[in-house]
Amino acid sequence: MKKVSVIIPVYNMEKYVESGISCITEQTYKNLEIIIIDDGSKDKTYLKCLAQADKDRRIAVFSKNNEGPAAARNLALRKATGDYVYFFDMDDYLEPNAIERLAEAMEKEDCDLAACSFSMYDGKKITRVIKKTDGVYDADEARNAYAVHLSMYGDKGIQGAAWFKLYKTGIIRENNIEFPDLRKSEDDVFVARYVSCIDKFCIISDVLCRYTVNTYKRFWDKYPFDIFDTAHTSTMCVRDIVFGWNRNNKDAEKRIFDEYFKKTFGSFCFLFNPKLKLGKKQRKERIEEISGTFMSDIPQGYTNAHAVFACMQKQRYNAVYMRIMLHIIRHYFD
């Protein structure tokens, strides 16, 4: 039985430690090493992780200065000794057979990557299930026509978050694959870098992961900074990687920039985070700056049906401001 390294970055997650770690220690797949990197937590997260490590010798806990989840995961990757790597977020949930099913799929299909279906949870109920379609894919063919794999919410999607996939440690090491130095949207770049180096991947329809969806308040607590630069950088990195596979794939180009618009919309919303301490004038100025960067980044002829995009095109920044403010009021507690 091959060893799986489960990598868990944590920051101020003390209330999730026991339930999160139990998701891993109670997996039916037993040959695990569990690497927890405390990213400079200010609460009791580190101490609670140490207490859990005392109960299970497979757990190793390390502490570092706060630099974000990308740096924490990169540190854990350097320490990993497993054949496979699984990335877990402490506030999420894994079915007990999740790692077993992913590892079985990797072995059965002789794949370099395995992805699964997942559900979305708002803290009270499951709000959406992202059901994948079973399939095995030649990576060269997939990279050439990558549009169907670009959205993590699509039935063949493998991009996006790192946590619904299993990876080979050897491929990561041999190709020096790391998470980029970003505090948000780093997963997308890592996955694209990894997909560049594989021969075959598989997708299984089993719903094995449950992702905890963040309200705006929780997002703002988690990312108390202007997030647009991370959206811009991650998009440009993914674009360059995917264009390197097939520059003429217009469907993939459209999906990349549709995702960029979603991230840009989200960055407008983040300007209303009280922790940024921005006034109305400062928010409007930043909306204009972000809009200018976005419009200069998108390819000629790009279109989007969203009303905010139309306002950005027409440089109606007051209208963008009002639409974003109303959106936040409506969805603050979603």
Side-chain angles (χ1 to χ4, degrees):
M1 179 183 285
K2 293 185 176 180
K3 184 192 288 186
V4 176
S5 298
V6 180
I7 289 175
I8 313 175
V10 289
Y11 177 73
N12 291 351
M13 301 281 283
E14 62 177 342
K15 69 178 182 178
Y16 299 104
V17 168
E18 292 182 10
S19 61
I21 291 178
S22 68
C23 277
I24 307 303
T25 58
E26 294 172 9
Q27 287 290 303
T28 56
Y29 196 94
K30 297 303 181 184
N31 192 15
L32 306 175
E33 68 171 0
I34 304 164
I35 304 172
I36 302 173
I37 307 294
D38 179 74
D39 192 34
S41 294
K42 298 177 182 178
D43 60 6
K44 296 178 181 178
T45 295
Y46 180 61
L47 295 176
K48 288 198 169 188
C49 289
L50 289 176
Q52 293 299 309
D54 287 340
K55 300 176 184 179
D56 194 317
R57 61 187 299 177
R58 296 174 296 174
I59 302 173
V61 183
F62 303 91
S63 183
K64 61 182 291 298
N65 293 332
N66 179 256
E67 296 177 281
R73 285 172 173 164
N74 287 337
L75 174 61
L77 283 171
R78 293 193 289 273
K79 296 180 178 295
T81 63
D83 302 285
Y84 298 138
V85 172
Y86 182 80
F87 297 103
F88 180 68
D89 290 338
M90 197 70 89
D91 57 343
D92 292 342
Y93 171 79
L94 277 187
E95 294 295 334
N97 67 334
I99 292 176
E100 180 179 5
R101 285 289 297 117
L102 287 166
E104 280 179 351
M106 291 273 269
E107 293 293 311
K108 178 182 177 182
E109 305 297 346
D110 189 26
C111 285
D112 301 316
L113 175 73
C116 65
S117 301
F118 60 90
S119 61
M120 302 172 70
Y121 178 70
D122 68 0
K124 297 178 181 178
K125 64 182 183 301
I126 291 174
T127 58
R128 186 179 177 188
V129 176
I130 307 302
K131 190 71 172 175
K132 304 290 183 183
T133 300
D134 289 306
V136 180
Y137 300 88
D138 176 86
D140 277 336
E141 293 177 3
R143 286 188 288 261
N144 190 56
Y146 200 60
V148 295
H149 303 296
L150 267 167
S151 172
M152 64 183 279
Y153 302 106
D155 66 344
K156 297 178 182 178
I158 59 171
Q159 275 296 132
W163 43 256
F164 65 100
K165 298 178 276 281
L166 190 67
Y167 311 80
K168 283 186 175 178
T169 311
I171 290 176
I172 294 171
R173 293 259 168 81
E174 289 163 14
N175 296 280
N176 297 312
I177 301 169
E178 288 190 327
F179 287 86
D181 185 20
L182 298 173
R183 284 181 170 260
K184 197 175 185 303
S185 302
E186 72 280 359
D187 290 18
D188 237 352
V189 180
F190 177 87
V191 174
R193 287 173 174 173
Y194 187 86
V195 171
S196 288
C197 303
I198 65 177
D199 295 321
K200 187 163 66 169
F201 65 89
C202 61
I203 299 173
I204 58 178
S205 60
D206 305 48
V207 181
L208 301 176
C209 316
R210 189 183 74 194
Y211 165 62
T212 300
V213 181
N214 294 301
T215 62
Y216 273 113
K217 183 182 184 305
R218 189 156 177 252
F219 256 134
W220 289 347
D221 288 340
K222 192 173 182 180
Y223 304 106
F225 52 87
D226 185 332
I227 66 168
F228 178 73
D229 289 343
T230 67
H232 166 78
T233 302
S234 66
T235 300
M236 296 302 107
C237 286
V238 171
R239 178 203 63 182
D240 290 346
I241 293 168
V242 174
F243 279 14
W245 302 335
N246 180 358
R247 181 166 291 276
N248 297 317
N249 190 339
K250 295 302 181 183
D251 289 339
E253 179 183 74
K254 177 70 165 65
R255 294 206 179 195
I256 288 170
F257 285 99
D258 282 347
E259 185 62 27
Y260 185 26
F261 173 74
K262 291 177 185 176
K263 291 179 180 178
T264 300
F265 184 94
S267 73
F268 289 152
C269 296
F270 266 70
L271 298 177
F272 289 79
N273 185 344
K275 293 187 177 182
L276 294 184
K277 298 180 180 179
L278 299 178
K280 185 175 181 180
K281 181 180 177 182
Q282 292 170 304
R283 291 192 197 109
K284 286 184 176 180
E285 288 174 349
R286 184 59 178 148
I287 284 172
E288 184 172 349
E289 290 174 355
I290 290 171
S291 297
T293 301
F294 176 86
M295 297 306 293
S296 66
D297 286 337
I298 60 175
Q300 187 175 7
Y302 172 79
T303 59
N304 191 300
H306 201 288
V308 167
F309 177 74
C311 294
M312 293 165 67
Q313 275 187 310
K314 297 173 183 177
Q315 299 183 1
R316 295 176 56 210
Y317 304 121
N318 285 335
V320 173
Y321 184 95
M322 292 303 299
R323 286 183 178 276
I324 296 299
M325 187 169 65
L326 289 172
H327 173 83
I328 292 170
I329 291 170
R330 289 173 187 152
H331 299 287
Y332 185 75
F333 294 105
D334 286 0

PDB file of all heavy atoms in Angstrom, residues 7 9 37-39 64-79 178-184 186:
ATOM      1  N   ILE A   7      -1.568  17.057   3.498  1.00  0.00           N
ATOM      2  CA  ILE A   7      -0.995  18.357   3.852  1.00  0.00           C
ATOM      3  C   ILE A   7      -2.114  19.301   4.281  1.00  0.00           C
ATOM      4  O   ILE A   7      -3.087  19.507   3.551  1.00  0.00           O
ATOM      5  CB  ILE A   7      -0.212  18.928   2.664  1.00  0.00           C
ATOM      6  CG1 ILE A   7       1.068  18.103   2.462  1.00  0.00           C
ATOM      7  CG2 ILE A   7       0.107  20.408   2.863  1.00  0.00           C
ATOM      8  CD1 ILE A   7       1.869  18.488   1.244  1.00  0.00           C
ATOM      9  N   PRO A   9      -2.567  23.145   5.823  1.00  0.00           N
ATOM     10  CA  PRO A   9      -2.153  24.443   6.365  1.00  0.00           C
ATOM     11  C   PRO A   9      -3.256  24.996   7.270  1.00  0.00           C
ATOM     12  O   PRO A   9      -4.441  24.850   6.963  1.00  0.00           O
ATOM     13  CB  PRO A   9      -1.992  25.301   5.107  1.00  0.00           C
ATOM     14  CG  PRO A   9      -2.982  24.721   4.134  1.00  0.00           C
ATOM     15  CD  PRO A   9      -3.119  23.257   4.468  1.00  0.00           C
ATOM     16  N   ILE A  37       0.846  22.366   9.004  1.00  0.00           N
ATOM     17  CA  ILE A  37       1.696  23.553   9.084  1.00  0.00           C
ATOM     18  C   ILE A  37       0.868  24.689   9.675  1.00  0.00           C
ATOM     19  O   ILE A  37      -0.064  25.189   9.042  1.00  0.00           O
ATOM     20  CB  ILE A  37       2.231  23.974   7.703  1.00  0.00           C
ATOM     21  CG1 ILE A  37       2.919  22.808   6.991  1.00  0.00           C
ATOM     22  CG2 ILE A  37       3.176  25.169   7.859  1.00  0.00           C
ATOM     23  CD1 ILE A  37       4.184  22.312   7.637  1.00  0.00           C
ATOM     24  N   ASP A  38       1.190  25.070  10.902  1.00  0.00           N
ATOM     25  CA  ASP A  38       0.522  26.217  11.514  1.00  0.00           C
ATOM     26  C   ASP A  38       1.190  27.492  11.007  1.00  0.00           C
ATOM     27  O   ASP A  38       2.384  27.715  11.235  1.00  0.00           O
ATOM     28  CB  ASP A  38       0.599  26.145  13.037  1.00  0.00           C
ATOM     29  CG  ASP A  38      -0.065  27.334  13.683  1.00  0.00           C
ATOM     30  OD1 ASP A  38      -1.306  27.395  13.687  1.00  0.00           O
ATOM     31  OD2 ASP A  38       0.663  28.256  14.129  1.00  0.00           O
ATOM     32  N   ASP A  39       0.414  28.313  10.336  1.00  0.00           N
ATOM     33  CA  ASP A  39       0.951  29.494   9.652  1.00  0.00           C
ATOM     34  C   ASP A  39       0.919  30.721  10.557  1.00  0.00           C
ATOM     35  O   ASP A  39       0.354  31.759  10.212  1.00  0.00           O
ATOM     36  CB  ASP A  39       0.152  29.732   8.362  1.00  0.00           C
ATOM     37  CG  ASP A  39       0.812  30.747   7.444  1.00  0.00           C
ATOM     38  OD1 ASP A  39       2.052  30.798   7.405  1.00  0.00           O
ATOM     39  OD2 ASP A  39       0.070  31.481   6.755  1.00  0.00           O
ATOM     40  N   LYS A  64       5.308  28.090  11.682  1.00  0.00           N
ATOM     41  CA  LYS A  64       6.111  29.049  10.939  1.00  0.00           C
ATOM     42  C   LYS A  64       5.480  30.428  11.027  1.00  0.00           C
ATOM     43  O   LYS A  64       4.337  30.578  11.467  1.00  0.00           O
ATOM     44  CB  LYS A  64       6.233  28.638   9.467  1.00  0.00           C
ATOM     45  CG  LYS A  64       4.887  28.575   8.752  1.00  0.00           C
ATOM     46  CD  LYS A  64       5.026  28.106   7.307  1.00  0.00           C
ATOM     47  CE  LYS A  64       5.726  29.110   6.443  1.00  0.00           C
ATOM     48  NZ  LYS A  64       4.986  30.387   6.365  1.00  0.00           N
ATOM     49  N   ASN A  65       6.221  31.429  10.617  1.00  0.00           N
ATOM     50  CA  ASN A  65       5.678  32.782  10.550  1.00  0.00           C
ATOM     51  C   ASN A  65       4.599  32.855   9.481  1.00  0.00           C
ATOM     52  O   ASN A  65       4.645  32.142   8.480  1.00  0.00           O
ATOM     53  CB  ASN A  65       6.783  33.789  10.239  1.00  0.00           C
ATOM     54  CG  ASN A  65       7.780  33.924  11.370  1.00  0.00           C
ATOM     55  OD1 ASN A  65       7.442  33.716  12.543  1.00  0.00           O
ATOM     56  ND2 ASN A  65       9.018  34.266  11.041  1.00  0.00           N
ATOM     57  N   ASN A  66       3.632  33.736   9.677  1.00  0.00           N
ATOM     58  CA  ASN A  66       2.507  33.839   8.768  1.00  0.00           C
ATOM     59  C   ASN A  66       2.931  34.379   7.401  1.00  0.00           C
ATOM     60  O   ASN A  66       3.449  35.486   7.282  1.00  0.00           O
ATOM     61  CB  ASN A  66       1.424  34.750   9.369  1.00  0.00           C
ATOM     62  CG  ASN A  66       0.238  34.907   8.448  1.00  0.00           C
ATOM     63  OD1 ASN A  66       0.065  35.925   7.798  1.00  0.00           O
ATOM     64  ND2 ASN A  66      -0.578  33.875   8.374  1.00  0.00           N
ATOM     65  N   GLU A  67       2.724  33.542   6.369  1.00  0.00           N
ATOM     66  CA  GLU A  67       2.997  33.947   4.985  1.00  0.00           C
ATOM     67  C   GLU A  67       1.884  33.531   4.037  1.00  0.00           C
ATOM     68  O   GLU A  67       1.971  33.767   2.836  1.00  0.00           O
ATOM     69  CB  GLU A  67       4.300  33.311   4.502  1.00  0.00           C
ATOM     70  CG  GLU A  67       5.544  33.757   5.240  1.00  0.00           C
ATOM     71  CD  GLU A  67       6.779  33.030   4.742  1.00  0.00           C
ATOM     72  OE1 GLU A  67       6.990  31.863   5.143  1.00  0.00           O
ATOM     73  OE2 GLU A  67       7.523  33.638   3.932  1.00  0.00           O
ATOM     74  N   GLY A  68       0.847  32.871   4.546  1.00  0.00           N
ATOM     75  CA  GLY A  68      -0.243  32.422   3.695  1.00  0.00           C
ATOM     76  C   GLY A  68      -0.165  30.936   3.403  1.00  0.00           C
ATOM     77  O   GLY A  68       0.869  30.291   3.608  1.00  0.00           O
ATOM     78  N   PRO A  69      -1.276  30.368   2.885  1.00  0.00           N
ATOM     79  CA  PRO A  69      -1.348  28.920   2.664  1.00  0.00           C
ATOM     80  C   PRO A  69      -0.379  28.403   1.606  1.00  0.00           C
ATOM     81  O   PRO A  69       0.060  27.248   1.677  1.00  0.00           O
ATOM     82  CB  PRO A  69      -2.798  28.693   2.234  1.00  0.00           C
ATOM     83  CG  PRO A  69      -3.284  30.029   1.753  1.00  0.00           C
ATOM     84  CD  PRO A  69      -2.557  31.032   2.585  1.00  0.00           C
ATOM     85  N   ALA A  70      -0.026  29.212   0.611  1.00  0.00           N
ATOM     86  CA  ALA A  70       0.896  28.746  -0.426  1.00  0.00           C
ATOM     87  C   ALA A  70       2.251  28.399   0.175  1.00  0.00           C
ATOM     88  O   ALA A  70       2.804  27.314  -0.075  1.00  0.00           O
ATOM     89  CB  ALA A  70       1.049  29.812  -1.511  1.00  0.00           C
ATOM     90  N   ALA A  71       2.806  29.300   0.981  1.00  0.00           N
ATOM     91  CA  ALA A  71       4.103  29.051   1.608  1.00  0.00           C
ATOM     92  C   ALA A  71       4.018  27.871   2.573  1.00  0.00           C
ATOM     93  O   ALA A  71       4.961  27.067   2.670  1.00  0.00           O
ATOM     94  CB  ALA A  71       4.576  30.303   2.347  1.00  0.00           C
ATOM     95  N   ALA A  72       2.896  27.750   3.272  1.00  0.00           N
ATOM     96  CA  ALA A  72       2.723  26.631   4.212  1.00  0.00           C
ATOM     97  C   ALA A  72       2.696  25.295   3.457  1.00  0.00           C
ATOM     98  O   ALA A  72       3.326  24.309   3.876  1.00  0.00           O
ATOM     99  CB  ALA A  72       1.442  26.822   5.007  1.00  0.00           C
ATOM    100  N   ARG A  73       1.982  25.251   2.354  1.00  0.00           N
ATOM    101  CA  ARG A  73       1.922  24.018   1.573  1.00  0.00           C
ATOM    102  C   ARG A  73       3.267  23.683   0.942  1.00  0.00           C
ATOM    103  O   ARG A  73       3.654  22.510   0.877  1.00  0.00           O
ATOM    104  CB  ARG A  73       0.845  24.147   0.487  1.00  0.00           C
ATOM    105  CG  ARG A  73      -0.580  24.031   1.021  1.00  0.00           C
ATOM    106  CD  ARG A  73      -1.566  24.360  -0.054  1.00  0.00           C
ATOM    107  NE  ARG A  73      -2.941  24.097   0.353  1.00  0.00           N
ATOM    108  CZ  ARG A  73      -4.002  24.569  -0.281  1.00  0.00           C
ATOM    109  NH1 ARG A  73      -3.838  25.335  -1.351  1.00  0.00           N
ATOM    110  NH2 ARG A  73      -5.212  24.292   0.143  1.00  0.00           N
ATOM    111  N   ASN A  74       3.983  24.696   0.488  1.00  0.00           N
ATOM    112  CA  ASN A  74       5.303  24.441  -0.091  1.00  0.00           C
ATOM    113  C   ASN A  74       6.260  23.854   0.945  1.00  0.00           C
ATOM    114  O   ASN A  74       7.045  22.948   0.638  1.00  0.00           O
ATOM    115  CB  ASN A  74       5.888  25.725  -0.689  1.00  0.00           C
ATOM    116  CG  ASN A  74       5.214  26.136  -1.980  1.00  0.00           C
ATOM    117  OD1 ASN A  74       4.618  25.312  -2.681  1.00  0.00           O
ATOM    118  ND2 ASN A  74       5.288  27.408  -2.308  1.00  0.00           N
ATOM    119  N   LEU A  75       6.193  24.359   2.160  1.00  0.00           N
ATOM    120  CA  LEU A  75       7.007  23.805   3.241  1.00  0.00           C
ATOM    121  C   LEU A  75       6.645  22.345   3.487  1.00  0.00           C
ATOM    122  O   LEU A  75       7.517  21.482   3.617  1.00  0.00           O
ATOM    123  CB  LEU A  75       6.825  24.631   4.516  1.00  0.00           C
ATOM    124  CG  LEU A  75       7.506  24.081   5.776  1.00  0.00           C
ATOM    125  CD1 LEU A  75       9.025  23.991   5.583  1.00  0.00           C
ATOM    126  CD2 LEU A  75       7.171  24.966   6.983  1.00  0.00           C
ATOM    127  N   ALA A  76       5.347  22.058   3.534  1.00  0.00           N
ATOM    128  CA  ALA A  76       4.895  20.689   3.758  1.00  0.00           C
ATOM    129  C   ALA A  76       5.320  19.764   2.624  1.00  0.00           C
ATOM    130  O   ALA A  76       5.689  18.606   2.864  1.00  0.00           O
ATOM    131  CB  ALA A  76       3.378  20.662   3.937  1.00  0.00           C
ATOM    132  N   LEU A  77       5.286  20.253   1.389  1.00  0.00           N
ATOM    133  CA  LEU A  77       5.714  19.443   0.250  1.00  0.00           C
ATOM    134  C   LEU A  77       7.181  19.042   0.379  1.00  0.00           C
ATOM    135  O   LEU A  77       7.571  17.933  -0.011  1.00  0.00           O
ATOM    136  CB  LEU A  77       5.494  20.195  -1.061  1.00  0.00           C
ATOM    137  CG  LEU A  77       4.054  20.240  -1.585  1.00  0.00           C
ATOM    138  CD1 LEU A  77       3.941  21.194  -2.769  1.00  0.00           C
ATOM    139  CD2 LEU A  77       3.578  18.845  -1.989  1.00  0.00           C
ATOM    140  N   ARG A  78       7.997  19.939   0.921  1.00  0.00           N
ATOM    141  CA  ARG A  78       9.413  19.610   1.104  1.00  0.00           C
ATOM    142  C   ARG A  78       9.611  18.540   2.176  1.00  0.00           C
ATOM    143  O   ARG A  78      10.598  17.798   2.142  1.00  0.00           O
ATOM    144  CB  ARG A  78      10.199  20.884   1.451  1.00  0.00           C
ATOM    145  CG  ARG A  78      10.266  21.888   0.299  1.00  0.00           C
ATOM    146  CD  ARG A  78      11.286  22.976   0.553  1.00  0.00           C
ATOM    147  NE  ARG A  78      10.889  23.912   1.594  1.00  0.00           N
ATOM    148  CZ  ARG A  78      10.152  25.000   1.368  1.00  0.00           C
ATOM    149  NH1 ARG A  78       9.705  25.272   0.135  1.00  0.00           N
ATOM    150  NH2 ARG A  78       9.835  25.808   2.359  1.00  0.00           N
ATOM    151  N   LYS A  79       8.677  18.453   3.111  1.00  0.00           N
ATOM    152  CA  LYS A  79       8.774  17.479   4.193  1.00  0.00           C
ATOM    153  C   LYS A  79       8.081  16.154   3.858  1.00  0.00           C
ATOM    154  O   LYS A  79       8.312  15.147   4.538  1.00  0.00           O
ATOM    155  CB  LYS A  79       8.155  18.061   5.468  1.00  0.00           C
ATOM    156  CG  LYS A  79       8.900  19.286   6.009  1.00  0.00           C
ATOM    157  CD  LYS A  79       8.238  19.815   7.265  1.00  0.00           C
ATOM    158  CE  LYS A  79       9.005  21.012   7.831  1.00  0.00           C
ATOM    159  NZ  LYS A  79      10.371  20.646   8.298  1.00  0.00           N
ATOM    160  N   GLU A 178       5.616  24.135  -7.455  1.00  0.00           N
ATOM    161  CA  GLU A 178       5.285  24.776  -6.180  1.00  0.00           C
ATOM    162  C   GLU A 178       4.045  25.632  -6.336  1.00  0.00           C
ATOM    163  O   GLU A 178       3.640  25.977  -7.451  1.00  0.00           O
ATOM    164  CB  GLU A 178       6.443  25.678  -5.714  1.00  0.00           C
ATOM    165  CG  GLU A 178       7.664  24.951  -5.219  1.00  0.00           C
ATOM    166  CD  GLU A 178       8.653  25.898  -4.549  1.00  0.00           C
ATOM    167  OE1 GLU A 178       8.739  27.072  -4.997  1.00  0.00           O
ATOM    168  OE2 GLU A 178       9.311  25.479  -3.599  1.00  0.00           O
ATOM    169  N   PHE A 179       3.464  25.986  -5.211  1.00  0.00           N
ATOM    170  CA  PHE A 179       2.417  26.995  -5.201  1.00  0.00           C
ATOM    171  C   PHE A 179       3.084  28.360  -5.371  1.00  0.00           C
ATOM    172  O   PHE A 179       4.154  28.605  -4.809  1.00  0.00           O
ATOM    173  CB  PHE A 179       1.639  26.959  -3.884  1.00  0.00           C
ATOM    174  CG  PHE A 179       0.717  25.778  -3.750  1.00  0.00           C
ATOM    175  CD1 PHE A 179       1.189  24.564  -3.267  1.00  0.00           C
ATOM    176  CD2 PHE A 179      -0.615  25.873  -4.115  1.00  0.00           C
ATOM    177  CE1 PHE A 179       0.355  23.473  -3.150  1.00  0.00           C
ATOM    178  CE2 PHE A 179      -1.468  24.786  -4.007  1.00  0.00           C
ATOM    179  CZ  PHE A 179      -0.982  23.582  -3.529  1.00  0.00           C
ATOM    180  N   PRO A 180       2.488  29.256  -6.151  1.00  0.00           N
ATOM    181  CA  PRO A 180       3.081  30.576  -6.346  1.00  0.00           C
ATOM    182  C   PRO A 180       2.985  31.413  -5.076  1.00  0.00           C
ATOM    183  O   PRO A 180       2.195  31.116  -4.173  1.00  0.00           O
ATOM    184  CB  PRO A 180       2.227  31.175  -7.466  1.00  0.00           C
ATOM    185  CG  PRO A 180       0.890  30.530  -7.285  1.00  0.00           C
ATOM    186  CD  PRO A 180       1.180  29.121  -6.834  1.00  0.00           C
ATOM    187  N   ASP A 181       3.771  32.454  -5.026  1.00  0.00           N
ATOM    188  CA  ASP A 181       3.807  33.332  -3.861  1.00  0.00           C
ATOM    189  C   ASP A 181       2.600  34.272  -3.877  1.00  0.00           C
ATOM    190  O   ASP A 181       2.720  35.483  -4.114  1.00  0.00           O
ATOM    191  CB  ASP A 181       5.119  34.133  -3.853  1.00  0.00           C
ATOM    192  CG  ASP A 181       5.265  34.984  -2.596  1.00  0.00           C
ATOM    193  OD1 ASP A 181       4.586  34.678  -1.604  1.00  0.00           O
ATOM    194  OD2 ASP A 181       6.059  35.948  -2.629  1.00  0.00           O
ATOM    195  N   LEU A 182       1.430  33.684  -3.658  1.00  0.00           N
ATOM    196  CA  LEU A 182       0.179  34.432  -3.613  1.00  0.00           C
ATOM    197  C   LEU A 182      -0.582  34.028  -2.355  1.00  0.00           C
ATOM    198  O   LEU A 182      -0.513  32.869  -1.935  1.00  0.00           O
ATOM    199  CB  LEU A 182      -0.688  34.127  -4.844  1.00  0.00           C
ATOM    200  CG  LEU A 182      -0.125  34.498  -6.214  1.00  0.00           C
ATOM    201  CD1 LEU A 182      -1.036  33.958  -7.312  1.00  0.00           C
ATOM    202  CD2 LEU A 182       0.011  36.010  -6.343  1.00  0.00           C
ATOM    203  N   ARG A 183      -1.341  34.943  -1.798  1.00  0.00           N
ATOM    204  CA  ARG A 183      -2.133  34.625  -0.612  1.00  0.00           C
ATOM    205  C   ARG A 183      -3.547  34.188  -0.961  1.00  0.00           C
ATOM    206  O   ARG A 183      -4.325  33.845  -0.085  1.00  0.00           O
ATOM    207  CB  ARG A 183      -2.161  35.824   0.343  1.00  0.00           C
ATOM    208  CG  ARG A 183      -0.861  35.988   1.126  1.00  0.00           C
ATOM    209  CD  ARG A 183      -0.914  37.154   2.081  1.00  0.00           C
ATOM    210  NE  ARG A 183       0.235  37.152   2.971  1.00  0.00           N
ATOM    211  CZ  ARG A 183       0.222  36.704   4.220  1.00  0.00           C
ATOM    212  NH1 ARG A 183      -0.874  36.194   4.719  1.00  0.00           N
ATOM    213  NH2 ARG A 183       1.312  36.757   4.968  1.00  0.00           N
ATOM    214  N   LYS A 184      -3.890  34.226  -2.239  1.00  0.00           N
ATOM    215  CA  LYS A 184      -5.202  33.776  -2.698  1.00  0.00           C
ATOM    216  C   LYS A 184      -5.077  33.377  -4.177  1.00  0.00           C
ATOM    217  O   LYS A 184      -4.202  33.870  -4.872  1.00  0.00           O
ATOM    218  CB  LYS A 184      -6.259  34.869  -2.526  1.00  0.00           C
ATOM    219  CG  LYS A 184      -7.684  34.358  -2.593  1.00  0.00           C
ATOM    220  CD  LYS A 184      -8.682  35.471  -2.299  1.00  0.00           C
ATOM    221  CE  LYS A 184     -10.103  34.947  -2.255  1.00  0.00           C
ATOM    222  NZ  LYS A 184     -10.514  34.263  -3.495  1.00  0.00           N
ATOM    223  N   GLU A 186      -3.941  30.789  -5.400  1.00  0.00           N
ATOM    224  CA  GLU A 186      -2.698  30.067  -5.684  1.00  0.00           C
ATOM    225  C   GLU A 186      -2.950  28.648  -6.209  1.00  0.00           C
ATOM    226  O   GLU A 186      -2.132  28.089  -6.952  1.00  0.00           O
ATOM    227  CB  GLU A 186      -1.814  30.017  -4.435  1.00  0.00           C
ATOM    228  CG  GLU A 186      -2.280  29.102  -3.319  1.00  0.00           C
ATOM    229  CD  GLU A 186      -3.380  29.685  -2.439  1.00  0.00           C
ATOM    230  OE1 GLU A 186      -3.804  30.832  -2.665  1.00  0.00           O
ATOM    231  OE2 GLU A 186      -3.813  28.969  -1.513  1.00  0.00           O
TER     232      GLU A 186
END
